[in-house]
Amino acid sequence: MRIGVLTGGGDCPGLNAVIRAVVRKGVSVYGHEFVGYRDGWRGPLEGDTMPLDIQAVRGILPRGGTILGSSRTNPIKIEGGVDRIKENLATTGVDALIAIGGEDTLGVAKQLYDRGVNVVGVPKTIDNDLSGTDYTFGFDTAVNIAMEAIDRLHTTAESHHRALICEVMGRHAGWIALHAGMAAGANVILIPEKPFDIERVCEYVESRFRTRYSPIVVVAEGAHPIEGQMELQAGELDAFGHVRLGGIGEMLAKEIEKRTGKEARTTVLGHIQRGGTPTAYDRVLATRFGLQAIDAAHEGDYGKMVALRATDIIRVGLDEATAELKTVPVSRYSEAEVFFG
């Protein structure tokens, strides 16, 4: 077989580990040939390919990012996009695609499968918000990066007696904020799933100051206040209709200063959470996903996504994988609230 591989959406640590596992097993065990599509769905849309053999994947296991490049191209929104992809696959003799991505990339994969394209999906997102899998690779690395940053913020906050706000990624799901905040001993954690009361946040801040320690507030970029409490800014939309977020941390700092009289500063981690070498956990998980993905393609088990359930790698339908986002349940957030203030 000739199999195409692409990585779509935001990059994250572990993508190269998946590519490496797919190619190594696909070539050495099954004798398949591989084509790398550059920059997500733009690759098969425009026929932009690169060679993908064992030599091409040597040494990439510890590297962050993706050797294939990525983009937020949405072929479904482009007139004739699906037909162009099918034509380009046929022209290059590609029998199947392995698409590595999050909700948007796999959503496109599901629609292409429904229209006759042979696709296998691999779940990738630092947000850990895909419902079909217990964990996605990239999440553990992002949480550890955020945790280390918050650990450092504690010392400088206490030296200057400031409230420090750390803004982390998380558009619709607050998993990074929850895990990093709990691991680093944050005094308040704010997530998209639960609108926050700014007055209550300020009470936590003042309570922390009374202990002669400085408060650390961890906020996901998609967190928002109870309606009417603070004015939020709207950003531009990407190709999948998502608003470009950012700025909640700075708005929180201004409100905390205004309401408490205490100095507040914001640190936005942003793309630092996506970069750099993956943790051991993410390298192993990504490798196992890649091995299972090439097995599925070899067996012709298309329309599936590989997933982690407990400690096993299984396959679930792309429809199940993209049906809904996996958000933080009330019970998990309640565990963190014990340590607020």
Side-chain angles (χ1 to χ4, degrees):
M1 293 173 64
R2 198 161 197 240
I3 300 170
V5 182
L6 64 86
T7 54
D11 70 305
C12 81
L15 283 167
N16 287 324
V18 178
I19 298 167
R20 171 180 174 268
V22 165
V23 174
R24 288 286 297 270
K25 186 171 186 179
V27 172
S28 62
V29 176
Y30 296 130
H32 297 317
E33 181 184 355
F34 292 89
V35 173
Y37 283 105
R38 289 189 172 95
D39 302 338
W41 290 113
R42 187 191 68 78
L45 190 66
E46 300 179 6
D48 189 358
T49 65
M50 62 175 279
L52 200 58
D53 55 16
I54 287 182
Q55 185 59 37
V57 300
R58 292 197 187 281
I60 68 172
L61 176 63
R63 286 173 55 183
T66 164
I67 62 170
L68 297 177
S70 191
S71 73
R72 296 193 182 279
T73 302
N74 184 356
I76 306 301
K77 294 288 184 70
I78 298 173
E79 186 175 353
V82 173
D83 290 334
R84 283 169 58 186
I85 287 177
K86 294 174 76 171
E87 289 172 7
N88 286 329
L89 293 179
T91 299
T92 52
V94 171
D95 303 297
L97 275 177
I98 293 178
I100 312 166
E103 57 168 319
D104 295 326
T105 300
L106 296 182
V108 172
K110 167 66 170 60
Q111 295 190 57
L112 288 174
Y113 173 70
D114 290 341
R115 301 184 195 188
V117 178
N118 296 331
V119 185
V120 173
V122 178
K124 174 270 338 169
T125 167
I126 66 171
D127 292 328
N128 196 41
D129 58 0
L130 283 172
S131 60
T133 183
D134 288 352
Y135 282 96
T136 54
F137 66 87
F139 173 67
D140 186 70
T141 303
V143 167
N144 275 279
I145 290 170
M147 179 195 70
E148 290 179 9
I150 299 164
D151 284 346
R152 296 172 187 272
L153 290 177
H154 273 290
T155 57
T156 185
E158 289 163 15
S159 296
H160 292 274
H161 312 294
R162 290 171 173 157
L164 287 186
I165 293 89
C166 182
E167 182 181 317
V168 300
M169 286 185 168
R171 177 187 302 278
H172 301 297
W175 290 108
I176 294 177
L178 181 74
H179 280 237
M182 290 186 72
N187 308 110
V188 186
I189 301 171
L190 306 177
I191 62 175
E193 292 87 338
K194 185 174 181 178
F196 61 85
D197 183 339
I198 187 60
E199 293 183 3
R200 185 64 174 144
V201 171
C202 290
E203 289 174 5
Y204 287 135
V205 167
E206 292 176 321
S207 172
R208 181 67 173 176
F209 273 122
R210 286 194 293 270
T211 68
R212 302 187 66 82
Y213 287 90
S214 295
I216 299 290
V217 179
V218 176
V219 56
E221 62 183 344
H224 53 92
I226 295 171
E227 189 173 354
Q229 283 196 339
M230 292 167 57
E231 184 177 345
L232 301 180
Q233 298 174 342
E236 59 188 49
L237 303 180
D238 66 15
F240 288 90
H242 300 308
V243 176
R244 182 173 294 172
L245 298 176
I248 184 63
E250 193 60 41
M251 285 183 276
L252 265 174
K254 291 177 181 177
E255 284 291 326
I256 288 171
E257 281 197 346
K258 183 173 70 174
R259 292 168 183 258
T260 68
K262 302 292 186 180
E263 190 177 6
R265 293 289 185 271
T266 301
T267 297
V268 181
L269 295 186
H271 291 80
I272 290 173
Q273 296 158 92
R274 284 187 180 164
T277 187
T279 60
Y281 181 88
D282 279 341
R283 295 185 200 192
V284 173
L285 179 59
T287 297
R288 295 182 70 200
F289 277 163
L291 295 173
Q292 185 64 232
I294 188 57
D295 285 347
H298 177 74
E299 296 166 13
D301 193 11
Y302 303 120
K304 299 291 179 60
M305 181 192 82
V306 297
L308 178 70
R309 292 284 171 84
T311 59
D312 296 325
I313 307 297
I314 65 167
R315 302 172 194 173
V316 299
L318 282 170
D319 51 351
E320 177 186 344
T322 58
E324 60 181 1
L325 289 178
K326 180 179 67 183
T327 54
V328 176
V330 173
S331 60
R332 287 296 308 275
Y333 190 68
S334 296
E335 293 172 353
E337 285 184 303
V338 171
F339 303 96
F340 287 7

